[in-house]
Short mmCIF file of all heavy atoms in Angstrom, two decimals:
data_model
loop_
_atom_site.label_atom_id
_atom_site.label_comp_id
_atom_site.label_asym_id
_atom_site.label_seq_id
_atom_site.Cartn_x
_atom_site.Cartn_y
_atom_site.Cartn_z
N GLN A 19 -5.38 3.17 6.99
CA GLN A 19 -6.05 2.79 8.27
C GLN A 19 -7.56 2.69 8.09
O GLN A 19 -8.19 1.78 8.57
CB GLN A 19 -5.71 3.87 9.31
CG GLN A 19 -4.28 3.88 9.75
CD GLN A 19 -3.95 5.09 10.66
OE1 GLN A 19 -4.80 5.93 10.91
NE2 GLN A 19 -2.67 5.11 11.19
N ALA A 20 -8.15 3.68 7.35
CA ALA A 20 -9.58 3.70 7.17
C ALA A 20 -10.07 2.48 6.34
O ALA A 20 -11.04 1.82 6.66
CB ALA A 20 -9.99 4.95 6.45
N LEU A 21 -9.26 2.11 5.31
CA LEU A 21 -9.68 0.94 4.51
C LEU A 21 -9.50 -0.36 5.29
O LEU A 21 -10.37 -1.27 5.19
CB LEU A 21 -8.86 0.92 3.21
CG LEU A 21 -9.15 2.05 2.22
CD1 LEU A 21 -8.20 1.96 1.05
CD2 LEU A 21 -10.57 1.97 1.75
N ASN A 22 -8.42 -0.51 6.00
CA ASN A 22 -8.23 -1.70 6.77
C ASN A 22 -9.29 -1.82 7.88
O ASN A 22 -9.70 -2.99 8.18
CB ASN A 22 -6.81 -1.69 7.43
CG ASN A 22 -5.76 -2.05 6.42
OD1 ASN A 22 -5.89 -3.01 5.63
ND2 ASN A 22 -4.67 -1.32 6.43
N ALA A 23 -9.73 -0.71 8.42
CA ALA A 23 -10.82 -0.73 9.42
C ALA A 23 -12.10 -1.27 8.82
O ALA A 23 -12.93 -1.84 9.58
CB ALA A 23 -11.02 0.61 10.00
N ARG A 24 -12.22 -1.14 7.52
CA ARG A 24 -13.42 -1.65 6.82
C ARG A 24 -13.18 -3.00 6.15
O ARG A 24 -13.92 -3.45 5.33
CB ARG A 24 -13.81 -0.68 5.74
CG ARG A 24 -14.20 0.72 6.24
CD ARG A 24 -15.54 0.71 7.06
NE ARG A 24 -16.03 2.11 7.14
CZ ARG A 24 -16.92 2.65 6.26
NH1 ARG A 24 -17.32 1.92 5.26
NH2 ARG A 24 -17.28 3.87 6.44
N ARG A 25 -12.03 -3.60 6.47
CA ARG A 25 -11.70 -4.93 5.96
C ARG A 25 -11.49 -4.91 4.44
O ARG A 25 -11.76 -5.90 3.75
CB ARG A 25 -12.71 -6.00 6.35
CG ARG A 25 -12.85 -6.18 7.85
CD ARG A 25 -13.84 -7.27 8.21
NE ARG A 25 -14.01 -7.36 9.64
CZ ARG A 25 -14.84 -8.24 10.33
NH1 ARG A 25 -15.61 -9.02 9.52
NH2 ARG A 25 -14.88 -8.28 11.56
N TRP A 26 -10.93 -3.77 3.98
CA TRP A 26 -10.48 -3.66 2.59
C TRP A 26 -8.96 -3.43 2.66
O TRP A 26 -8.53 -2.39 2.98
CB TRP A 26 -11.22 -2.54 1.87
CG TRP A 26 -11.10 -2.55 0.41
CD1 TRP A 26 -10.39 -1.79 -0.44
CD2 TRP A 26 -11.80 -3.52 -0.44
NE1 TRP A 26 -10.54 -2.11 -1.74
CE2 TRP A 26 -11.40 -3.21 -1.81
CE3 TRP A 26 -12.69 -4.53 -0.27
CZ2 TRP A 26 -11.91 -3.91 -2.89
CZ3 TRP A 26 -13.14 -5.25 -1.35
CH2 TRP A 26 -12.73 -4.94 -2.63
N ARG A 27 -8.25 -4.49 2.32
CA ARG A 27 -6.84 -4.49 2.63
C ARG A 27 -6.01 -3.45 1.94
O ARG A 27 -6.09 -3.23 0.74
CB ARG A 27 -6.29 -5.92 2.22
CG ARG A 27 -4.81 -6.15 2.67
CD ARG A 27 -4.35 -7.50 2.17
NE ARG A 27 -2.91 -7.60 2.38
CZ ARG A 27 -2.17 -8.49 1.67
NH1 ARG A 27 -2.69 -9.24 0.71
NH2 ARG A 27 -0.88 -8.56 1.92
N ALA A 28 -5.25 -2.72 2.75
CA ALA A 28 -4.41 -1.65 2.31
C ALA A 28 -3.09 -1.63 3.09
O ALA A 28 -3.10 -2.00 4.24
CB ALA A 28 -5.13 -0.32 2.39
N GLU A 29 -2.08 -1.21 2.40
CA GLU A 29 -0.75 -1.26 3.06
C GLU A 29 -0.06 0.11 2.86
O GLU A 29 0.15 0.59 1.77
CB GLU A 29 0.13 -2.34 2.44
CG GLU A 29 1.51 -2.44 3.01
CD GLU A 29 2.38 -3.44 2.20
OE1 GLU A 29 1.97 -3.87 1.10
OE2 GLU A 29 3.43 -3.84 2.76
N ALA A 30 0.28 0.77 4.00
CA ALA A 30 1.03 2.01 3.92
C ALA A 30 2.49 1.75 3.53
O ALA A 30 3.09 0.81 3.99
CB ALA A 30 1.02 2.73 5.27
N LEU A 31 3.05 2.60 2.60
CA LEU A 31 4.32 2.32 2.02
C LEU A 31 5.21 3.53 2.09
O LEU A 31 4.78 4.69 2.06
CB LEU A 31 4.20 1.94 0.55
CG LEU A 31 3.36 0.67 0.23
CD1 LEU A 31 3.13 0.59 -1.26
CD2 LEU A 31 3.98 -0.57 0.75
N SER A 32 6.54 3.28 2.21
CA SER A 32 7.52 4.35 2.13
C SER A 32 7.84 4.67 0.63
O SER A 32 7.40 3.92 -0.24
CB SER A 32 8.81 3.89 2.80
OG SER A 32 9.43 2.85 2.06
N GLY A 33 8.62 5.71 0.41
CA GLY A 33 9.04 6.01 -0.94
C GLY A 33 9.79 4.91 -1.58
O GLY A 33 9.65 4.60 -2.74
N GLU A 34 10.69 4.26 -0.79
CA GLU A 34 11.49 3.17 -1.31
C GLU A 34 10.62 2.00 -1.71
O GLU A 34 10.90 1.26 -2.69
CB GLU A 34 12.53 2.75 -0.29
CG GLU A 34 13.65 3.73 -0.01
CD GLU A 34 13.18 4.91 0.91
OE1 GLU A 34 12.06 4.82 1.47
OE2 GLU A 34 13.91 5.86 1.06
N GLN A 35 9.60 1.79 -0.88
CA GLN A 35 8.69 0.58 -1.21
C GLN A 35 7.89 0.84 -2.46
O GLN A 35 7.70 -0.14 -3.24
CB GLN A 35 7.85 0.35 0.04
CG GLN A 35 8.51 -0.27 1.20
CD GLN A 35 7.67 -0.33 2.42
OE1 GLN A 35 6.95 0.64 2.76
NE2 GLN A 35 7.68 -1.48 3.12
N VAL A 36 7.36 2.01 -2.66
CA VAL A 36 6.58 2.17 -3.93
C VAL A 36 7.49 2.14 -5.13
O VAL A 36 7.12 1.62 -6.18
CB VAL A 36 5.81 3.55 -3.89
CG1 VAL A 36 4.79 3.58 -2.79
CG2 VAL A 36 6.74 4.80 -3.77
N GLN A 37 8.75 2.64 -4.98
CA GLN A 37 9.71 2.56 -6.07
C GLN A 37 10.05 1.07 -6.41
O GLN A 37 10.17 0.70 -7.58
CB GLN A 37 11.00 3.25 -5.70
CG GLN A 37 12.03 3.29 -6.78
CD GLN A 37 11.85 4.43 -7.74
OE1 GLN A 37 11.68 5.58 -7.36
NE2 GLN A 37 11.72 4.07 -9.05
N LYS A 38 10.13 0.25 -5.36
CA LYS A 38 10.43 -1.17 -5.59
C LYS A 38 9.27 -1.87 -6.29
O LYS A 38 9.47 -2.75 -7.14
CB LYS A 38 10.72 -1.83 -4.24
CG LYS A 38 11.17 -3.31 -4.43
CD LYS A 38 11.61 -3.91 -3.07
CE LYS A 38 12.08 -5.35 -3.21
NZ LYS A 38 12.48 -5.88 -1.91
N LEU A 39 8.02 -1.54 -5.90
CA LEU A 39 6.88 -2.17 -6.49
C LEU A 39 6.72 -1.72 -7.93
O LEU A 39 6.31 -2.53 -8.83
CB LEU A 39 5.59 -1.77 -5.75
CG LEU A 39 5.31 -2.55 -4.46
CD1 LEU A 39 4.14 -1.94 -3.72
CD2 LEU A 39 5.05 -4.02 -4.75
N GLU A 40 6.96 -0.44 -8.24
CA GLU A 40 6.82 0.08 -9.61
C GLU A 40 8.08 0.89 -9.94
O GLU A 40 8.17 2.09 -9.71
CB GLU A 40 5.54 0.95 -9.73
CG GLU A 40 4.29 0.20 -9.61
CD GLU A 40 4.01 -0.71 -10.79
OE1 GLU A 40 4.76 -0.67 -11.78
OE2 GLU A 40 2.98 -1.45 -10.79
N PRO A 41 9.09 0.23 -10.51
CA PRO A 41 10.34 0.94 -10.88
C PRO A 41 10.20 2.12 -11.84
O PRO A 41 11.08 2.97 -11.94
CB PRO A 41 11.23 -0.19 -11.50
CG PRO A 41 10.63 -1.47 -10.94
CD PRO A 41 9.18 -1.21 -10.80
N ALA A 42 9.08 2.17 -12.58
CA ALA A 42 8.89 3.26 -13.52
C ALA A 42 8.56 4.53 -12.88
O ALA A 42 8.63 5.63 -13.42
CB ALA A 42 7.80 2.91 -14.52
N LEU A 43 8.18 4.51 -11.56
CA LEU A 43 7.92 5.71 -10.79
C LEU A 43 9.18 6.52 -10.63
O LEU A 43 10.26 5.98 -10.46
CB LEU A 43 7.28 5.40 -9.46
CG LEU A 43 5.83 4.94 -9.43
CD1 LEU A 43 5.52 4.32 -8.11
CD2 LEU A 43 4.90 6.08 -9.76
#
């Protein structure tokens, strides 16, 4: 939220989403 408020793009993710982005996790 803080980064997006400063126009620095960030996306909150669930555990399943981080695992999908980086299967090595």
Side-chain angles (χ1 to χ4, degrees):
Q19 292 171 356
L21 292 175
N22 282 317
R24 300 291 197 91
R25 298 182 182 179
W26 196 251
R27 187 182 170 203
E29 178 185 17
L31 301 171
S32 67
E34 292 78 9
Q35 288 172 314
V36 296
Q37 182 84 54
K38 185 175 181 181
L39 281 173
E40 291 292 354
L43 287 166

